[in-house]
Amino acid sequence: MTDQPQSLFSAVDALLAAVDGGGVLPALDERVRLREAAGLTQAAVAQALGVRVASIEAWEAGRAEPKAERLEAYRRLLEGLSRRFPASAAPSGSTEAPPRPDPGAAPPSAPVAPAAAPAAPSRPAAAPGRQPARRAEEKQSAACLRTAAAGGTDPRFENGPLAVVDVEDGQVRAYCTGGLVLDVPAKSLAALVDWTLVEAKLGQPKLSGPGKDADPLLVLTRAALERYGLPTTLTEEERLAGRIPEGHKAVKQLARAQWKLTKRGFGPWARIYRPATGSERACVQVCIPSWNALDARHWGHAGQLPPAELARVLGVYASRVMTPRGSTAVTGLELMTALHPPTRASRPDADGKRHSEHNPGSLGQNPVDCAPCEAPDGHPLLAGLPRVHVRGPAEKLFEEAYDWARPMTDDECMLRHLVGIDVNMAFAAGANGLTVGLGAPTRLERPVFDAKLPGSWLVDLSHVDLSRVKAGKEWVELDGSLLPSPFTPKGEHPEGPAWYATPTVAYAVELGYEVRPIEAYVRHESGRYLDGWYQRLRDAYLATMSDLGVGADLAPDDFLTAMNGYKARDPELAIVVSAIKATVKGGLGKLRERPRGEGWRPGQPWRALARPTWRPDIRAAVISRTRTNLHRKIVKHAAFTGQYPVAILSDCVVYAANGPSPLDFLPYREGRPLPGGFKLGINPGLVKHEGTQTVLWGEEVRERFNAPELNLARYIKDGTVTDADNGE
């Protein structure tokens, strides 16, 4: 007798135990039905369960199943939804799925979105008095939201993070997220601030344990500006100053009511506050689109949207990134601090009291000096240099994105097309998993290079020969003349010692060459400070692109099709995508913010230096890693295909090809990309199609400007080149 029957019985018993223990989930179709019946997006469920959207997609498609605590939480969600939306409640014979929810409909304090609002909602009517006007189905969705959201809805912020204040038919109304409208009784600007803090129930919970809740944001339309005695536009003098005069009657009115303004005054982004008493904050942020608060380069036409639509756009951004604190650059920097606050509460002392202490993994409360090589020109550390002195590579760290191009070869000129591919969220991907310094630098002489030590290294990399490099464990032969150097932004071969960030030097070692640093400034206190920042922005980007019909698991052909015209599917969500990408680049740029007027002179400190987040070394490390990541893919591609880039601009790479599609030169085999090379997809670090022009167009443009190395990547998207682009 064999053991097979016994093993079969054991397997059956294990299956029954899994059923009894709740380890068996509903059928795949039922999981989708329950989620859609509740009006929840995959992104909302993913955020509540602390996983990626791709995980929810896999669970609903049967490609994977949740494990451990995720299994219990997911089962609990599905059971709760099945009680609220039993299968019998669906119309008999109906196969039509419920409408998809509006990504901006949820109060950002909850990690899930309620039922759908129209993509372009008309202005809903407000109920009389101070109570919000809600339809019955919105109340039902909100009740479901409170049950399904992890941790529930914070009652302090039940009306969302922000409101767009407008005046219609003489009545002041506040348009919140999810189609909610509040009547505003305030007759003055000071009263509006009081109403916001006392009655409006606006704001957003903190993003991390030791952090602070986000202040409510009021967006004032032109009509609201007129109602509260503010100019609808700024004069040229006010625009240059970035604020209205301190003597303006509206500013005086706030002062009489004991409200204060920050040093930047009352400008496009204003902060109105009273000094905190204990842990209670009294602060309201104000955004004024007609004063150019929403820069069209990053927010598109958001400033011209009607109030309800503008509330939707800003609400989606707030729920997925954070409540805007200023420009996208300012918000990107503030997000870093919100995820890693400088201090936390200590353990209770002998008297049971808690004190403020350094929060490990943060940049702390006090700024630290950069290394002299990391200091930009005009920094106080360089005050002793002659005014006419120009620092060279051996004196100045110069880690910047690529701006490189070369003449095309005869073989490339025989091809028909120039195809540009663009790396998605390239700088965010460069920040992912990057170890950066958290404290002040330490100077070392003749150190042994350590790739785990973040910092700046003075080293000669001129001996690195790109015609013979290591790709993995094997040496490969390449045409080095057709490759840019990975060590300089212009792709030029280094000629001697120069300062480089750790990722650049580590890449030289990876290519198979020995490095011997002459000097270094390293930071022994280090950590992956930007990981949470990257994950927050990555998830926001993927969720918004998914809402626009571009999923994370599409086949190459399907991905290219989905990306074609994706912005037209929902122009408002396309604005959010642009703002998310600008938040990445702007936030990193703020790490090395330069003087902004204010009578600054070289050698004097400027305001940004007083921030703990003024860290040019972190910015340099991210750019260094982004550039070397791109070069690594280029080398892999060249070694496998013999194809070399014609031009590179930041995260855009142009190749000559016989066809107009990236698939005409990317070496896919049975749908699989080259390992370590370029891969089509929407995830950060993968690539999309940037644009295609003809080889004849490229040659004609270069001939017109007599510039054989004109960077065609700058114009590949639409082919438009003006004389102004070339200094004429």
Side-chain angles (χ1 to χ4, degrees):
M1 182 174 178
T2 66
D3 293 333
Q4 186 176 7
Q6 186 61 40
S7 63
L8 292 175
F9 295 156
S10 298
V12 170
D13 290 341
L15 186 59
L16 291 173
V19 174
D20 294 338
V24 176
L25 298 172
L28 303 179
D29 291 345
E30 179 67 2
R31 302 177 198 181
V32 177
R33 186 194 71 79
L34 290 172
R35 176 178 59 76
E36 293 186 339
L40 301 176
T41 63
Q42 290 178 332
V45 177
Q47 189 173 357
L49 297 179
V51 298
R52 298 179 58 187
V53 175
S55 297
I56 303 301
E57 293 174 346
W59 297 350
E60 292 184 351
R63 296 192 302 273
E65 292 291 336
K67 306 294 184 183
E69 67 273 8
R70 297 287 193 280
L71 172 61
E72 175 63 22
Y74 189 43
R75 182 186 62 78
R76 184 175 181 180
L77 171 63
L78 295 176
E79 285 183 353
L81 295 178
S82 66
R83 289 193 295 270
R84 291 163 176 78
F85 305 98
S88 59
S92 178
S94 174
T95 59
E96 184 177 354
R100 288 194 175 273
D102 175 5
S109 55
V112 292
S122 59
R123 297 190 182 187
R130 302 180 184 180
Q131 299 301 316
R134 285 186 176 175
R135 300 185 299 273
E137 59 268 25
E138 289 173 337
K139 292 182 180 179
Q140 181 181 3
S141 296
C144 174
L145 173 66
R146 284 191 290 272
T147 303
T153 301
D154 192 323
R156 298 172 300 161
F157 312 130
E158 67 177 29
N159 294 333
L162 56 91
V164 180
V165 181
D166 191 32
V167 180
E168 186 177 11
D169 300 328
Q171 174 61 50
V172 182
R173 293 191 173 117
Y175 292 79
C176 306
T177 56
L180 175 66
V181 184
L182 305 177
D183 281 338
V184 181
K187 303 297 183 183
S188 67
L189 186 60
L192 177 64
V193 176
D194 282 318
W195 172 84
T196 303
L197 293 171
V198 176
E199 299 182 49
K201 294 187 176 181
L202 296 173
Q204 188 176 33
K206 57 190 177 183
L207 295 179
S208 66
K212 299 176 182 178
D213 297 328
D215 300 318
L217 173 64
L218 294 181
V219 184
L220 304 183
T221 66
R222 287 176 179 265
L225 292 173
E226 291 178 350
R227 170 61 65 93
Y228 292 114
L230 292 163
T232 57
T233 58
L234 297 179
T235 65
E236 182 65 18
E237 183 179 355
E238 291 168 343
R239 186 187 64 80
L240 293 174
R243 66 185 77 184
I244 58 177
E246 294 183 5
H248 192 280
K249 61 181 181 180
V251 177
K252 290 182 176 180
Q253 178 197 106
L254 290 171
R256 286 195 299 269
Q258 281 77 54
W259 289 108
K260 297 180 179 293
L261 294 167
T262 58
K263 290 183 179 180
R264 63 183 178 184
F266 204 120
W269 289 93
R271 194 170 298 172
I272 305 171
Y273 72 99
R274 287 189 180 124
T277 56
S279 61
E280 293 296 321
R281 287 170 58 84
C283 182
V284 173
Q285 295 186 94
V286 178
C287 166
I288 305 178
S290 66
W291 294 6
N292 199 33
L294 301 176
D295 191 327
R297 293 173 298 174
H298 310 138
W299 289 101
H301 64 285
Q304 285 73 51
L305 289 174
E309 285 88 335
L310 181 55
R312 179 191 180 222
V313 168
L314 295 177
V316 174
Y317 180 89
S319 65
R320 292 176 176 174
V321 180
M322 69 180 297
T323 304
R325 300 288 300 271
S327 66
T328 50
V330 169
T331 303
L333 195 68
E334 292 284 349
L335 180 61
M336 296 179 195
T337 304
L339 293 169
H340 284 286
T343 61
R344 67 178 183 183
S346 68
R347 293 182 179 275
D349 59 17
D351 298 325
K353 295 183 178 180
R354 295 180 183 269
H355 307 278
S356 177
E357 66 177 14
H358 173 70
N359 183 27
S362 75
L363 298 181
Q365 285 184 293
N366 302 313
V368 297
D369 282 336
C370 62
C373 62
E374 297 163 352
D377 293 338
H379 191 279
L381 287 176
L382 310 175
L385 292 178
R387 291 285 300 272
V388 296
H389 180 73
V390 178
R391 294 190 294 161
E395 299 172 277
K396 178 180 180 180
L397 178 69
F398 191 62
E399 295 282 10
E400 297 294 341
Y402 267 130
D403 185 356
W404 169 87
R406 63 169 176 83
M408 284 186 276
T409 65
D410 292 343
D411 288 342
E412 288 168 340
C413 289
M414 297 299 293
L415 301 176
R416 299 182 62 186
H417 298 280
L418 294 172
V419 183
I421 52 177
D422 181 79
V423 181
N424 296 310
M425 300 272 282
F427 295 101
N432 182 30
L434 177 65
T435 299
V436 300
L438 301 178
T442 300
R443 182 176 179 271
L444 304 176
E445 289 188 11
R446 299 288 176 182
V448 176
F449 175 69
D450 185 349
K452 296 180 180 179
L453 268 182
S456 303
W457 307 78
L458 179 62
V459 58
D460 188 351
L461 299 180
S462 60
H463 62 291
V464 177
D465 183 5
L466 294 180
S467 63
R468 187 173 184 272
V469 298
K470 264 191 175 180
K473 296 182 179 180
E474 298 181 355
W475 289 89
V476 296
E477 304 291 336
L478 301 171
D479 188 341
S481 66
L482 301 180
L483 284 171
S485 168
F487 310 128
T488 61
K490 290 292 186 181
E492 301 163 342
H493 194 74
E495 296 181 352
W499 285 100
Y500 303 102
T502 297
T504 302
V505 185
Y507 185 57
V509 175
E510 179 185 329
L511 292 176
Y513 290 87
E514 184 182 10
V515 296
R516 295 180 180 178
I518 302 168
E519 184 182 357
Y521 287 91
V522 300
R523 292 165 173 83
H524 295 286
E525 182 188 358
S526 61
R528 292 167 58 160
Y529 175 72
L530 295 173
D531 272 12
W533 182 81
Y534 160 77
Q535 290 161 10
R536 180 84 178 172
L537 291 164
R538 173 204 64 195
D539 291 348
Y541 176 68
L542 292 181
T544 310
M545 290 301 295
S546 179
D547 291 333
L548 285 165
V550 186
D553 296 319
L554 295 174
D557 284 314
D558 295 335
F559 169 71
L560 292 174
T561 300
M563 285 295 294
N564 187 22
Y566 75 92
K567 294 182 180 180
R569 293 176 200 138
D570 191 330
E572 292 171 14
L573 284 185
I575 293 174
V576 178
V577 171
S578 173
I580 292 170
K581 292 193 287 188
T583 303
V584 172
K585 290 186 177 181
L588 294 172
K590 277 283 184 179
L591 293 170
R592 189 180 178 265
E593 184 177 0
R594 300 303 312 277
R596 304 179 65 182
E598 302 174 351
W600 174 81
R601 300 180 66 181
Q604 296 178 342
W606 57 92
R607 184 184 301 179
L609 300 186
R611 293 194 318 249
T613 49
W614 192 84
R615 293 295 301 273
D617 57 298
I618 296 180
R619 173 187 176 272
V622 173
I623 295 175
S624 164
R625 192 162 185 249
T626 302
R627 194 182 65 244
T628 53
N629 281 349
L630 182 60
H631 195 274
R632 184 181 294 109
K633 289 181 171 62
I634 290 170
V635 167
K636 288 276 188 180
H637 185 87
F640 188 80
T641 67
Q643 299 168 335
Y644 295 83
V646 171
I648 310 173
L649 182 67
S650 187
D651 47 10
C652 175
V653 187
V654 176
Y655 282 90
N658 262 327
S661 168
L663 290 174
D664 290 314
F665 70 92
L666 293 182
Y668 272 82
R669 289 185 174 180
E670 299 180 355
R672 296 178 180 272
L674 172 68
F678 296 108
K679 177 183 178 181
L680 289 167
I682 200 60
N683 280 287
L686 306 189
V687 300
K688 62 180 182 294
H689 184 204
E690 178 70 3
T692 296
Q693 305 297 328
T694 64
V695 168
L696 290 177
W697 164 86
E699 289 298 282
E700 187 275 329
V701 168
R702 285 178 164 178
E703 184 177 346
R704 188 200 321 168
F705 295 105
N706 193 25
E709 297 182 2
L710 179 71
N711 196 333
L712 299 175
R714 182 172 280 109
Y715 318 106
I716 196 70
K717 190 166 190 175
D718 60 12
T720 302
V721 186
T722 64
D723 291 343
D725 291 328
N726 295 279
E728 295 188 13

